[in-house]
Amino acid sequence: MSNTEVIQWAAEANDSLARNKILTDDEIIRTVTAEDDDDDVTPVNPIKISHSETGAALSTSLQWAEEQNFEAHEIMLLRRLRHRAFELKIGTAAQRKITGFFGH
């Protein structure tokens, strides 16, 4: 890094520090508490993701992780998650009563 670049970097860092106000602990607590009191926040309805979509996404993630040579414990975690999504999918599609098998 040249001297000119170092001087420019230092000037930008000083400008950044000058723009950022240093808060005391009490000011930080008041700021965070005030943010929590906002009542005008509209609740967001979460989008339901199916077990099938989750399984497909995890399969893709697993394939990508294997191609990137991730560590074994990371790949095993993805496999366990994919297996769990499959179990949930099968559990929701499972027959509940014997009459369901006969179409009653």
Side-chain angles (χ1 to χ4, degrees):
M1 190 180 277
S2 71
N3 287 342
T4 307
E5 291 173 327
V6 170
I7 292 169
Q8 182 180 1
W9 177 82
E12 289 173 3
N14 284 337
D15 290 344
S16 177
L17 287 173
R19 285 191 304 264
N20 295 324
K21 179 181 174 186
I22 297 174
L23 301 175
T24 65
D25 290 346
D26 291 334
E27 290 172 326
I28 292 170
I29 292 170
R30 278 194 300 272
T31 303
V32 171
T33 305
E35 289 174 0
D36 290 343
D37 292 339
D38 290 341
D39 292 332
D40 60 344
V41 176
T42 306
V44 177
N45 294 330
I47 299 171
K48 294 289 184 179
I49 301 171
S50 72
H51 302 309
S52 296
E53 290 174 309
T54 303
L58 287 166
S59 291
T60 302
S61 299
L62 178 60
Q63 182 180 358
W64 174 78
E66 289 172 341
E67 289 172 359
Q68 301 302 315
N69 296 320
F70 273 43
E71 293 184 21
H73 71 276
E74 296 169 320
I75 291 174
M76 290 304 298
L77 174 61
L78 288 171
R79 285 184 180 159
R80 282 194 303 262
L81 290 171
R82 183 184 62 176
H83 181 74
R84 182 69 177 125
F86 179 74
E87 287 176 338
L88 290 169
K89 177 184 173 186
I90 296 302
T92 57
Q95 174 182 325
R96 302 288 183 224
K97 296 180 181 179
I98 191 70
T99 56
F101 179 74
F102 296 111
H104 287 320

